[in-house]
Amino acid sequence: MKTIFLSLILLCLFSASFAQNRAAIKGKVTDSISKQPLELSTIAMVDLKDTSLIAYTLSKKNGDFELQRLPVDKQVRLVISYAGYKSYIHPFNFKKGEVIDLGNIALNSKLLNEVVVRAERVPIKVKKDTLEFDAAAFKTRPNAAVEELLKKLPGVQVDGDGTITVNGKQVSKLLIDGKQFFGSDPKIATKNLDAAIVAQVQVYDDRENDPDHLVSETQVQKIINIKLKKAIKKSIFGKVFGGAGSRDRYEAGGLFNMFRDTLQVSVIGLSNNLNHTGFSREELNAEGGFDRSGGNTSFNGGRNWGGGIEKITSGGVNLNQNYGEKLKLNLQYFYTQRNNVNESANFQQQFLKDTTLLTRASNTRNANSYTHTVSGLVEWNPDTVRNLRYNPSLNYNSNNNTSSAAGSTSNNFDMPVNQSLSNSFGNSHSTQFNQSFYFHKRSKNKSKESFNVSHSLSINPNHSNNFNNNDVVNYQYPNLSDSLHRLSVRTSNNVSGNLDFTYRYPLTKKLIVDVTTSGIYNKTSDQVFTYDRKTGGFDSLLNNQSSDLKRDQWTENIKPGITYQLNKQTQIIAGLNTQWQQISNNFVTSRLVQNYFFLLPTVRIEAYGISFSYDRRVNQPGVSSLQPITIVYSPLYSYTGNPNLVPGINNNYSFNFFKYFNDSQLGIYSYGNISSQKNMAITQQVIRSDGAQSNTTVNRDGRPSYSFSTGVFKRFKKIKEWQLNSSTNFYSNYYQNLNLLNDVEGWQNTIAYGLHENIGVSWKDVIDLNTGVGFNQSNTKYHYDDFRNIKVSTYSISNGLVVRFPKKIIWETKQDFNYNGQVAAGFKKGVNVVSSSLALQMLKKDRGELKLSVYDIFNQNVSVYRYINTNSVSDVQNNTLKRYFMITYSVKFNKLSTK
């Protein structure tokens, strides 16, 4: 905590000390004829030497602008631009502390027949709702990836895991010339494509499914579109890599791209046993020493949070084809094979009045999965008022797994309670078909009149076989010791579909009315046959442990609504959804029919970057929770359904605030939520002194829960080639959970809060330093029995350093330290993972790279965490990757043609 506050103070002093030695410029942008202010004009200050961007801002509603903290004694150029107007260009050389007022800058509109003799490069343009950066104005190293280019753009931040935000808003997808590139994961493109082939980077709001702008401005995400250089008419480029290391570690893969005018074909593949579970580079960043060396070893993936050692082999193909300007097609295929070996240790403390059950368990699991996925996208825009999108996908997955576990339970009186041994093995396969359809038509005569049709369909059949052997020795009740040897055969099929129609009509300039009607169908079929082993085989059907569940649910909605625009910055959006539900639940020996009617209001108020909203939702209990039978899963656990459960009602109140200041590149955001529940589903537990547990589900009214988060992020202007970024986040949550344990009703109240600070410093393209510190704490109090309090505090420190010196040599070191002092004895409290790499770049334009990496230098890595449940605390430790050394060679290839 002290470290965070000290860093904030240092940042303030650092900023203040340099502000007085800088210059500033201000003025007003207007139309030369009408004299009206030109809002959102781009004002950019560029280096006269290499045209790189120094600072920029957008003019305000009245046309005013101001750029502060500008460099002194340096040749710079001011460029003021507005779409459809001639740019204003003027050189400057500021003196220390100088403030220049340009007064009124009148821009002349361009004539259609005007011949432009010399075009001045404008680093940033605003075209309607699109912000466009000229890539040539942001210098990058040879062989740099697109990610490095994005890091240099004002307002763009790339986190250590590759997540991209623009002006504080997360990027939902990244397109290449308006086309998808391996789905919606931006990291595949940003970490594998060269910055040298980029002409412009465009940023705009993600309104693909929201053409009527109904999503709040504070919550809408961003899309980045990478526009390639027009001179590159034909190109083949990509990379291959391979590496081998100690402990039989390896990695190999490649990326091949072929672009032919309107056709794009990409093939990608990898195989490794380094827990790199996808195509992004999150894992490499997290483990250190594998990412920022410019060569970009590969496209590896999301962290394997479940622990264990995982081997992955994956590959796919992505195809884009444009037919003119109106029709776009995309086709993708992926294959993924995962093999995971997990070993875990668990220690649980279960509090039962004056008795505490202490359970120690160990588990070993080996799981294999094989997945094929085919998906497509059709986009058709026949004119400016109509657009259609169709997205089908087909997924086939097969799994097999084996596991074994051993556990022993004692109590706080040093008395043995029970001992258990179990093992299981099973296999399953599933198929899932999904499709979505969307059509939007806007009126030619009334800009705010529109008609939408949307549809989705999902079909998901599954089949599985699971063999389970459970042996329990009960020391308190020896007659309850038992052995269960069972086969469970399960067949399920889930089908869901919906069809929605929405019509919006402007009654006045300020008032829009709309109506949405929808029909939803959900079908659930879940058939389980349980067999006992009697004569050497699983041939004895247990009718009371089997089930045949079917649910058919129809839902109809009619939702009228209004949108009222008080002024340009303020609007009210409200609606009242009338919902009917007809549900038929079919069990083996009974049938339960339910009919419901709900009124579900929604309200949202938008005003000056702040959004307040309220909505009400319905949660139906699952059909398996309703079946009136008791199923014994093991000698220590059983579950009984409750056919008297009713739907739960959620009331949610939230606010969002977001503000970004372009001129100072400062962002501030806040989020808050209050949620209350009526008739929420609560698990009622009965736990005997011997550790045996039986559960059911009941309805109870809940108490409100609260959550809050706020943060600030800042990118400072360059000071003599030094670039500084910082971000601070604070969050707090307060939850009230009802526990029903052994006929005792009580509330479990938890308050959790945390503070995180991240600072990034870079010098030219030579040094990159990123450091972060974090503190999280939760306090849980049980308001029954002995009013026990449980406290969990965790601390984290992360450091990343990249040094590109001397030429063609890249040094990289990454540290991740986590500490939890409350874990039980025998579990590691602090984990300090330090990794490092040394890379030598070679070949023309540094397209080859030889790298020596060492992961977890001090051999300390382990996965440890603690969680709190119903009157219990559990500590879990999983096996994970330990120290290894690896040598990797990667090479990029690029064949470009302007013919």
Side-chain angles (χ1 to χ4, degrees), residues 447-513:
S447 61
K448 294 182 179 181
E449 181 184 8
S450 65
F451 175 70
N452 296 334
V453 180
S454 62
H455 157 73
S456 66
L457 176 66
S458 177
I459 303 174
N460 183 206
N462 299 270
H463 180 81
S464 64
N465 298 296
N466 289 284
F467 298 85
N468 296 280
N469 300 303
N470 293 275
D471 299 303
V472 175
V473 177
N474 194 318
Y475 295 108
Q476 294 198 356
Y477 305 98
N479 61 310
L480 296 181
S481 298
D482 198 2
S483 295
L484 296 181
H485 306 280
R486 290 179 174 173
L487 164 64
S488 177
V489 179
R490 185 171 194 168
T491 302
S492 65
N493 188 21
N494 299 306
V495 179
S496 63
N498 74 282
L499 183 62
D500 299 354
F501 299 91
T502 300
Y503 177 68
R504 291 172 57 83
Y505 184 81
L507 292 179
T508 67
K509 290 184 178 180
K510 293 187 174 183
L511 179 62
I512 300 174
V513 296

Side-chain angles (χ1 to χ4, degrees), residues 239-244 249-255 268-274 276 279 297-300 312-314 886-889:
K239 64 173 157 184
V240 293
F241 68 93
R249 302 294 169 219
Y250 78 94
E251 63 175 352
L255 171 67
I268 195 169
L270 68 83
S271 180
N272 66 68
N273 57 0
L274 306 176
H276 301 165
F279 290 107
T297 307
S298 70
F299 26 82
N300 303 73
I312 181 172
T313 299
S314 189
M886 176 166 285
I887 295 179
T888 304
Y889 182 73

Side-chain angles (χ1 to χ4, degrees), residues 22-29 43 45 57 64-78 80 88 90-105:
R22 314 290 275 179
I25 192 170
K26 59 183 179 180
K28 183 175 183 177
V29 186
I43 298 90
M45 191 69 70
T57 189
D64 289 348
F65 70 88
E66 184 175 9
L67 287 174
Q68 299 178 344
R69 298 183 178 88
L70 298 173
V72 298
D73 298 326
K74 185 175 185 177
Q75 295 291 331
V76 297
R77 177 183 290 138
L78 177 68
I80 301 177
Y88 171 87
H90 196 283
F92 289 93
N93 192 334
F94 296 104
K95 304 302 180 183
K96 184 184 296 184
E98 184 177 11
V99 178
I100 296 179
D101 188 348
L102 296 177
N104 187 62
I105 303 297

Side-chain angles (χ1 to χ4, degrees), residues 132-185:
E132 184 177 277
F133 299 93
D134 187 344
F138 304 90
K139 304 301 180 183
T140 58
R141 301 176 299 108
N143 196 35
V146 169
E147 181 182 78
E148 189 170 326
L149 171 63
L150 295 180
K151 289 180 178 180
K152 294 179 177 291
L153 304 182
V156 179
Q157 181 175 339
V158 183
D159 295 338
D161 62 358
T163 300
I164 309 171
T165 56
V166 178
N167 298 343
K169 296 183 178 181
Q170 188 166 335
V171 172
S172 58
K173 64 178 65 175
L174 187 143
L175 307 177
I176 304 297
D177 277 339
K179 307 177 185 71
Q180 289 197 21
F181 189 77
F182 283 106
S184 59
D185 184 3

Side-chain angles (χ1 to χ4, degrees), residues 673-865:
N673 178 265
I674 301 174
S675 178
S676 64
Q677 293 182 329
K678 184 178 180 181
N679 294 326
M680 64 179 181
I682 300 293
T683 300
Q684 187 177 52
Q685 297 178 299
V686 176
I687 303 178
R688 300 195 313 244
S689 59
D690 64 345
Q693 180 178 156
S694 58
N695 292 353
T696 188
T697 304
V698 297
N699 287 119
R700 291 288 190 277
D701 289 342
R703 290 181 178 177
S705 297
Y706 308 86
S707 62
F708 173 76
S709 177
T710 187
V712 57
F713 54 94
K714 166 73 175 173
R715 181 173 184 172
F716 295 86
K717 290 184 173 66
K718 276 189 176 182
I719 301 172
K720 295 183 178 179
E721 305 299 338
W722 286 94
Q723 180 72 63
L724 176 66
N725 304 280
S726 72
S727 64
T728 304
N729 172 262
F730 171 78
Y731 76 89
S732 64
N733 302 307
Y734 180 64
Y735 301 108
Q736 303 181 87
N737 298 318
L738 180 62
N739 291 340
L740 305 176
L741 179 61
N742 292 348
D743 297 323
V744 176
E745 242 181 69
W747 290 91
Q748 172 186 322
N749 297 342
T750 300
I751 180 169
Y753 53 90
L755 185 63
H756 298 265
E757 170 71 21
N758 290 279
I759 298 174
V761 180
S762 62
W763 181 68
K764 294 184 176 179
D765 287 323
V766 178
I767 297 175
D768 284 316
L769 173 64
N770 292 277
T771 184
V773 292
F775 168 75
N776 301 280
Q777 180 162 309
S778 67
N779 297 307
T780 300
K781 186 172 184 178
Y782 297 93
H783 290 266
Y784 54 92
D785 289 346
D786 58 356
F787 293 89
R788 185 182 304 273
N789 293 327
I790 299 176
K791 175 182 175 182
V792 178
S793 300
T794 61
Y795 305 85
S796 63
I797 299 174
S798 64
N799 293 292
L801 175 64
V802 181
V803 178
R804 301 179 180 94
F805 182 85
K807 189 176 181 180
K808 296 185 180 297
I809 299 294
I810 300 171
W811 311 77
E812 184 174 2
T813 299
K814 173 77 174 177
Q815 178 202 23
D816 284 299
F817 173 76
N818 294 278
Y819 182 81
N820 182 351
Q822 285 80 39
V823 295
F827 290 82
K828 204 167 185 178
K829 299 180 184 294
V831 179
N832 186 31
V833 180
V834 179
S835 304
S836 190
S837 70
L838 173 63
L840 171 64
Q841 294 186 320
M842 56 188 68
L843 304 182
K844 186 178 180 181
K845 294 185 179 181
D846 298 334
R847 295 196 173 276
E849 180 182 271
L850 182 66
K851 179 188 290 186
L852 171 64
S853 306
V854 53
Y855 170 69
D856 190 16
I857 294 175
F858 303 111
N859 205 31
Q860 291 193 6
N861 190 32
V862 70
S863 170
V864 179
Y865 58 93

